Amino acid sequence: MSATQTNKIEIIKAATSKIKDVDFDNLHFGEVFTDHLFECDFKNGEWQKPVIKPYAPFLLDPSAKVFHYGQAIFEGMKAYKDDNDGIWLFRPDENYNRFNHSATRMAMPAVPEEIFMEGLHQLLKLDEAWIQKGKGNTMYIRPFMIATGAGVIANPSDEYKFMILLSPAKSYYSGEVKVLIAEHFSRAANGGIGAAKAAGNYAAQFYPTNLANKAGFQQVIWTDDATHTKLEEAGTMNVFFRINDTLMTAPTSERILDGVTRKSLIDLAKREGINVDVRPVLVSELVEAAKDGSLKEIFGAGTAAVVNPIIGFSYQDVYYELPKLENSVAGQLKEKLTNIQHKLAEDTFGWTVQV
């Protein structure tokens, strides 16, 4: 290994690279990681010297508070390589701001922008050979922070670890997705942590999603906790509905994550002259639209899949199949968004940032 210093970040390079053992044509999402990771610890009330070092396991005290009280947050981002080997990020400021929003909600220290952004840029430059060119090839980026302070007293930790991992990814396809509309379980509640990307939000989804899987559905469309009459998110994604020629999605709230893909699709749709209605969407109007034929599309939106079409939904043991469309709005918006991300179309919004 060799160590260097760059902009206050210590860089310890791996002695050998794992890249020669990776089949980039057959990647399983989130299972392969690059040669290096970024790490910075928070101790004694301040952030310590950051380091980029070889990817490897690390030790934690068994009483670390992340294990006992769940102080853990993360983000999902992507980097793209254009035809000229330029590396681009998509709206990284949105992810950075949301990360610190999550940190505040979970009583964790905010990560300084210099540490977050400089660490990310240097890590991507060091492992840039792992970023493959071509549309559909991306580098998935996972910044996260966990509570590392020792002790089982129920209070916030006094020590934390902030890290960034890189995972090369192909286009994320989930195949044909059928969903079950939740009638009992909820993703989040008013006053809770639904608007934060807290690890516990996702753990709480696993059980009801497993029940849906056993019933033949791939995901759950979550409903509000109070009345179960309002449609909120689909699986781990924001969700859109097209009734006639209007695209609808729920407003962000304490229960609904402020998705970067979601807000980008809304802006793109408006630019393309598509009528967008951001308001609470009721289960009853979705069922009625499915019955009278005015429901044209449902799709999820998130970093991993970008856009994930849904072919049908079940509510109160009745299944509603959606029409098969040759030229869907979901497909059009995904094409336009990924073209911007891969620098194949002009970025009129100023969303892309070069590394």
Side-chain angles (χ1 to χ4, degrees):
M1 297 182 184
S2 61
T4 59
Q5 183 90 16
T6 303
N7 294 339
K8 300 181 181 178
I9 299 175
E10 181 182 6
I11 298 178
I12 305 170
K13 294 184 179 180
T16 58
S17 175
K18 304 173 291 185
I19 195 169
K20 63 182 181 299
D21 300 320
V22 176
D23 181 359
F24 285 94
D25 293 325
N26 295 286
L27 291 169
H28 294 283
F29 185 83
E31 293 183 2
V32 174
F33 297 92
T34 64
D35 292 321
H36 302 89
L37 55 78
F38 175 86
E39 179 181 283
C40 190
D41 290 318
F42 182 88
K43 295 180 180 179
N44 302 317
E46 60 184 15
W47 288 98
Q48 306 299 301
K49 183 179 180 179
V51 60
I52 292 175
K53 62 184 185 180
Y55 187 101
F58 59 91
L59 294 174
L60 282 179
D61 192 290
S63 70
K65 298 205 172 187
V66 65
F67 299 137
H68 302 273
Y69 302 112
Q71 277 186 291
I73 62 172
F74 69 94
E75 271 297 323
M77 310 168 65
K78 282 181 179 177
Y80 311 83
K81 184 176 282 186
D82 65 25
D83 290 339
N84 298 314
D85 291 323
I87 303 170
W88 297 85
L89 292 165
F90 182 74
R91 308 188 76 174
D93 55 321
E94 294 284 351
N95 293 101
Y96 170 73
N97 291 334
R98 190 173 64 184
F99 188 87
N100 278 340
H101 171 81
S102 298
T104 298
R105 182 62 184 84
M106 298 298 288
M108 305 169 85
V111 176
E113 186 172 4
E114 179 183 0
I115 290 175
F116 188 104
M117 292 300 185
E118 185 66 18
L120 175 55
H121 280 237
Q122 292 297 331
L123 182 60
L124 286 168
K125 288 177 181 177
L126 186 60
D127 281 344
E128 71 171 300
W130 289 76
I131 310 173
Q132 302 293 292
K133 288 191 288 190
K135 191 172 181 181
N137 294 314
T138 64
M139 178 63 75
Y140 183 76
I141 303 164
R142 174 52 65 91
F144 69 99
M145 180 162 55
I146 58 173
T148 54
V152 295
I153 298 174
N155 58 14
S157 176
D158 57 1
E159 296 184 1
Y160 297 88
K161 186 180 292 290
F162 169 62
M163 305 183 77
I164 305 175
L165 312 180
L166 302 179
S167 178
K170 297 287 287 182
S171 294
Y172 186 93
Y173 296 109
S174 296
E176 293 191 340
V177 175
K178 298 178 180 179
V179 298
L180 186 67
I181 293 180
E183 298 176 51
H184 172 70
F185 295 104
S186 294
R187 177 187 173 274
N190 285 328
I193 58 172
K197 280 190 77 71
N201 286 343
Y202 298 81
Q205 294 183 29
F206 295 157
Y207 174 68
T209 301
N210 283 345
L211 294 180
N213 294 162
K214 291 176 182 177
F217 301 91
Q218 286 70 47
Q219 287 291 352
V220 174
I221 290 186
W222 308 104
T223 51
D224 68 289
D225 63 301
T227 67
H228 294 290
T229 61
K230 299 173 185 176
L231 299 156
E232 302 211 316
E233 294 194 5
T236 59
M237 299 179 290
N238 296 115
V239 63
F240 287 82
F241 311 92
R242 180 163 76 94
I243 297 178
N244 290 321
D245 293 325
T246 298
L247 198 60
M248 301 177 181
T249 191
T252 56
S253 67
E254 290 181 317
R255 303 187 308 273
I256 298 176
L257 192 71
D258 187 11
V260 179
T261 304
R262 171 192 175 276
K263 64 178 64 178
S264 302
L265 292 176
I266 289 172
D267 288 345
L268 271 173
K270 289 179 178 178
R271 188 190 73 178
E272 297 302 310
I274 298 169
N275 185 36
V276 180
D277 196 0
V278 179
R279 64 166 176 82
V281 182
L282 301 178
V283 177
S284 59
E285 64 181 307
L286 188 74
V287 171
E288 187 60 33
K291 289 179 178 178
D292 67 23
S294 59
L295 177 62
K296 306 302 182 185
E297 298 180 64
I298 305 174
F299 58 90
T303 299
V306 184
V307 169
N308 196 171
I310 292 167
I311 66 167
F313 70 92
S314 180
Y315 180 65
Q316 294 184 343
D317 297 323
V318 179
Y319 179 70
Y320 302 89
E321 188 86 19
L322 272 67
K324 297 186 183 300
L325 302 177
E326 291 293 328
N327 192 25
S328 68
V329 167
Q332 294 174 44
L333 292 177
K334 181 175 182 177
E335 179 76 6
K336 292 180 184 299
L337 183 57
T338 54
N339 280 345
I340 291 173
Q341 292 170 333
H342 286 273
K343 307 302 290 183
L344 298 173
E346 182 183 1
D347 176 13
T348 59
F349 297 98
W351 287 337
T352 53
V353 175
Q354 189 160 21
V355 174

